[in-house]
Amino acid sequence: MTRILTVAAAQLGPIQRDENRASAVARMIELMRQAKGHGADLVVYPEAALTAFFPHWWIEDEDEIDSYFESAMPGNETAPLFAEAQRLGIGFHLGYCELAFEEGRKRRFNTAILVDKTGAIVGKYRKIHLPGHPEHRPDAPFQNLEKCYFETGNLGWPVWRTMDANLGMMICNDRRWPESYRSMGLQDVELIVLGYNTPKHNPPAPDHDRLGNFHNQLVMQAGAYQNASWVVGVAKAGLEAGVDQIGGSCIIAPTGEVVAQAVTEGDELVVARCDMDLGKSYKNSTFNFAKHREPEMYRLIVERKGAMGPEGG
Amino acid sequence: MTRILTVAAAQLGPIQRDENRASAVARMIELMRQAKGHGADLVVYPEAALTAFFPHWWIEDEDEIDSYFESAMPGNETAPLFAEAQRLGIGFHLGYCELAFEEGRKRRFNTAILVDKTGAIVGKYRKIHLPGHPEHRPDAPFQNLEKCYFETGNLGWPVWRTMDANLGMMICNDRRWPESYRSMGLQDVELIVLGYNTPKHNPPAPDHDRLGNFHNQLVMQAGAYQNASWVVGVAKAGLEAGVDQIGGSCIIAPTGEVVAQAVTEGDELVVARCDMDLGKSYKNSTFNFAKHREPEMYRLIVERKGAMGPEGG
């Protein structure tokens, strides 16, 4: 018996600075209803899906920074999304900026949650690979201040058993790092969901710009195949607050094949029937980790952060 | 100033069981001369390049097994390859089966070496990810007995400074595992060379067969991009001793792009001018490991060999 989970990738076009959360949530609810119409079990929204991606600009005022964060989930403005999901009986994945009070202080994380069909939050993930830089770069055409506005995620990469499958999450830049996928592959993950905000232009390395969509797919395809897991990547796309972002939301099978992809840079839904057993033949043969991995040879991966020179001589 | 290393991928067609080493070496010398004619600095040969790939069949006789191994490198039959390389002033990479006497006993490894332009062996690597199975499977159309005939490599993945670049090696199945690339990426590798013998048919998972060439490129492209290194993969291709193997030898840039690839399943040379500085913009931005890796979050990768169930609940 196959375990089909029908997944909808709900790409969002830009959210401008003056668009409020109620409007963004209304757009998400529209996509959720479309998803339900296609029999979807799970809707996947982008990273930081409720507002414009503010790490692209420098903000000094603490209150203004906090205005982009959620101190409760659901909160007043996101409650309608949970209510609609519960009414429709559909699960969802949502990325947002989280304001937490932990260890006696205010903390900020780039966070994502997994909500089941009853509207219950079953899992939370905090982004580990924060890209960009912590310092103000006033001369750049735009910035990536995630290292300024967020702390590094402190929850690891747990995998949850929900909807009759093993589900995990990552966020945006995490997808470029094989360690993210592998940490979940080692928990027998079957479906990894993630959102991203990826500018077409990379100010520190403009020669990479022509390859943004290629790299986006490449890393997710490899991560899917090498861990025999479905991967669903969902963009906030298009020209937002002066920053043009790639689309290319897609659903990738454990074979590494792209089975569905968005073709616009606006709000767009793509759907696929995902057989949660499709990765089993890989996990039982080429990628039977228990038989074929050699962890004692991987020590450098955890013992060293940055690259150092050749050790062979 | 760019550092151009001109690399030739020297794909070999099948070597049948009755073809001797002298013949195989003569074919390799022919490809080496072609490479020199194209101004190559380095020729890359396949895995276990001197004989038919014997792990595809069950052998009980110790002497017969040993007959596929080299107890000296160079030995009488491989000396002409070294001599020609020295005469031409060209480096090479060669995969072979190594019979060693270490720790007071006979040991067998699936090995590769890197030889510089003076004919000196500058690096040796022993394959770590041995695929297949240790036990006889007489009912399979063919076998993969690497876990029977070889020990797991015990030299790690060193990177060597030679030919004005940082060079590393892996072998065949290693290329499917991101840990292999990363172990060298953490030594600032600039060029990874590898050979492979990859059957088109995978008896334990025949539904994968249609994707052999796709997976071959996918994993090398991702490994190249994610470590900002050139990757050169070279096949022993075609129908050999009843087993049909993929070709698809290729040269991949640190951008993840395939810049040269073989189009036959026979002896074939493909050449590319490889700028060893091409990966620098990646290593200084997106893949600046010292800034962006989070090794304390990667512990599962070394603490666990096989996959276990979800830890999130």
Side-chain angles (χ1 to χ4, degrees):
Chain A
M1 208 183 81
T2 53
R3 285 180 295 136
I4 299 292
L5 194 77
T6 299
V7 179
Q11 177 173 290
L12 290 177
I15 299 177
Q16 303 306 341
R17 290 180 77 151
D18 60 358
E19 182 171 349
N20 64 24
R21 285 172 173 74
S23 168
V25 167
R27 288 165 58 185
M28 285 191 262
I29 287 176
E30 168 59 25
L31 289 163
M32 185 180 276
R33 289 174 181 160
Q34 291 175 14
K36 184 64 185 178
H38 297 292
D41 298 292
L42 178 69
V43 190
V44 181
Y45 296 111
E47 171 193 33
L50 297 165
T51 68
F53 198 68
F54 66 93
H56 288 152
W57 60 85
W58 177 255
I59 308 171
E60 294 192 346
D61 182 75
E62 282 281 309
D63 290 341
E64 186 184 345
I65 296 172
D66 288 348
S67 73
Y68 290 99
F69 284 75
E70 314 302 310
S71 54
M73 185 55 64
N76 289 340
E77 290 145 315
T78 47
L81 191 65
F82 283 75
E84 186 69 7
Q86 191 175 19
R87 189 180 75 79
L88 296 172
I90 193 167
F92 68 93
H93 164 87
L94 175 70
Y96 66 99
C97 301
E98 179 192 12
L99 196 65
F101 290 87
E102 290 175 4
E103 301 177 6
R105 61 191 171 93
K106 184 165 76 175
R107 306 184 69 175
R108 299 190 185 101
F109 297 99
N110 188 338
T111 295
I113 49 169
L114 195 58
V115 179
D116 72 13
K117 292 181 176 183
T118 72
I121 296 174
V122 295
K124 180 155 88 171
Y125 168 72
R126 289 167 169 171
K127 185 174 183 176
I128 288 171
H129 291 104
L130 298 173
H133 46 89
E135 79 285 1
H136 188 25
R137 293 185 180 174
D139 295 334
F142 62 90
Q143 309 195 47
N144 190 345
L145 290 156
E146 290 192 54
K147 284 189 195 291
C148 170
Y149 297 138
F150 302 118
E151 290 185 59
T152 303
N154 58 351
L155 303 176
W157 282 281
V159 169
W160 292 269
R161 183 74 189 178
T162 182
M163 304 186 210
D164 198 27
N166 298 344
L167 269 61
M169 296 182 271
M170 60 174 81
I171 299 178
C172 192
N173 183 45
D174 287 321
R175 75 195 188 285
R176 301 190 194 276
W177 301 85
E179 292 89 346
S180 315
Y181 303 89
R182 184 65 94 225
S183 298
M184 291 186 268
L186 286 165
Q187 298 170 66
D188 194 19
V189 72
E190 293 166 336
L191 170 63
I192 295 169
V193 294
L194 70 103
Y196 55 89
N197 283 268
T198 299
K200 293 178 182 174
H201 178 51
N202 183 7
D207 58 312
H208 305 182
D209 290 0
R210 71 185 171 85
L211 297 170
N213 281 293
F214 166 61
H215 289 154
N216 178 52
Q217 281 203 353
L218 175 63
V219 292
M220 294 194 287
Q221 290 182 281
Y225 168 63
Q226 290 172 327
N227 296 280
S229 174
W230 290 87
V231 173
V232 179
V234 181
K236 180 135 64 62
L239 186 61
E240 178 186 273
V243 180
D244 207 7
Q245 302 200 125
I246 66 166
S249 301
C250 57
I251 300 176
I252 297 166
T255 61
E257 293 168 292
V258 176
V259 300
Q261 64 180 323
V263 293
T264 73
E265 293 178 351
D267 291 13
E268 180 181 355
L269 195 82
V270 299
V271 180
R273 289 170 56 85
C274 304
D275 177 358
M276 293 294 114
D277 288 323
L278 190 61
K280 286 217 184 307
S281 66
Y282 290 86
K283 291 177 179 176
N284 292 333
S285 58
T286 307
F287 296 124
N288 183 325
F289 291 170
K291 281 190 180 166
H292 301 309
R293 290 183 80 246
E294 300 290 349
E296 64 277 21
M297 307 306 288
Y298 306 154
R299 299 178 57 84
L300 223 49
I301 291 169
V302 296
E303 290 178 354
R304 181 175 294 180
K305 183 176 167 81
M308 300 175 71
E311 299 195 342
Chain B
M1 210 183 84
T2 53
R3 283 181 296 136
I4 299 293
L5 195 77
T6 300
V7 179
Q11 179 173 289
L12 290 177
I15 299 176
Q16 303 306 341
R17 290 180 78 152
D18 59 359
E19 182 171 350
N20 62 24
R21 285 172 174 74
S23 168
V25 167
R27 289 165 57 185
M28 285 191 262
I29 287 176
E30 168 58 25
L31 290 163
M32 185 180 276
R33 289 174 182 159
Q34 291 175 15
K36 184 64 187 179
H38 297 290
D41 299 292
L42 178 69
V43 190
V44 181
Y45 297 110
E47 170 192 36
L50 297 165
T51 68
F53 198 68
F54 65 93
H56 288 151
W57 59 88
W58 177 254
I59 308 170
E60 294 192 344
D61 182 75
E62 283 281 311
D63 291 341
E64 187 183 345
I65 296 172
D66 287 347
S67 74
Y68 290 99
F69 285 74
E70 314 303 311
S71 53
M73 185 56 65
N76 290 339
E77 291 145 315
T78 45
L81 191 65
F82 284 74
E84 186 69 6
Q86 194 175 18
R87 189 181 75 80
L88 296 172
I90 194 167
F92 68 93
H93 164 88
L94 175 71
Y96 66 99
C97 300
E98 178 191 12
L99 196 66
F101 290 88
E102 291 175 1
E103 299 177 5
R105 62 190 171 94
K106 184 165 77 177
R107 307 184 69 175
R108 299 190 184 101
F109 297 99
N110 189 338
T111 296
I113 49 170
L114 194 57
V115 178
D116 71 13
K117 292 182 178 184
T118 72
I121 296 174
V122 296
K124 180 155 88 170
Y125 168 72
R126 289 168 169 170
K127 185 174 183 177
I128 288 171
H129 291 104
L130 298 172
H133 46 89
E135 79 285 1
H136 189 22
R137 294 185 180 174
D139 295 334
F142 61 90
Q143 310 196 45
N144 189 347
L145 289 156
E146 291 193 53
K147 284 189 195 292
C148 172
Y149 298 137
F150 302 118
E151 291 185 58
T152 302
N154 59 352
L155 303 177
W157 282 283
V159 169
W160 292 270
R161 183 74 189 179
T162 183
M163 304 185 209
D164 198 27
N166 297 343
L167 268 63
M169 296 182 270
M170 60 174 80
I171 300 177
C172 193
N173 184 44
D174 287 321
R175 75 194 187 285
R176 301 189 195 276
W177 302 84
E179 292 89 347
S180 315
Y181 303 89
R182 184 65 95 225
S183 299
M184 289 185 270
L186 286 165
Q187 298 169 67
D188 194 20
V189 73
E190 294 167 334
L191 170 63
I192 295 170
V193 295
L194 70 103
Y196 55 88
N197 284 268
T198 299
K200 292 178 183 174
H201 178 51
N202 182 9
D207 58 312
H208 305 181
D209 290 1
R210 71 184 171 86
L211 298 171
N213 279 295
F214 166 62
H215 289 154
N216 178 51
Q217 281 203 353
L218 175 63
V219 293
M220 293 194 288
Q221 289 182 282
Y225 168 62
Q226 291 171 327
N227 296 280
S229 175
W230 290 87
V231 173
V232 179
V234 181
K236 180 134 62 62
L239 187 60
E240 177 187 274
V243 180
D244 207 7
Q245 303 200 123
I246 65 166
S249 301
C250 56
I251 300 176
I252 297 166
T255 61
E257 295 168 290
V258 176
V259 300
Q261 65 181 323
V263 293
T264 73
E265 293 178 351
D267 292 12
E268 181 181 353
L269 195 82
V270 299
V271 180
R273 289 169 57 85
C274 304
D275 177 358
M276 293 295 112
D277 289 322
L278 190 61
K280 285 216 183 310
S281 65
Y282 291 86
K283 290 177 180 176
N284 291 334
S285 58
T286 307
F287 296 124
N288 183 326
F289 291 170
K291 281 191 182 166
H292 301 310
R293 289 183 81 247
E294 301 290 348
E296 65 275 23
M297 306 306 287
Y298 306 154
R299 300 178 57 85
L300 222 50
I301 291 170
V302 296
E303 290 178 354
R304 181 175 294 181
K305 183 175 166 82
M308 300 176 70
E311 298 195 342

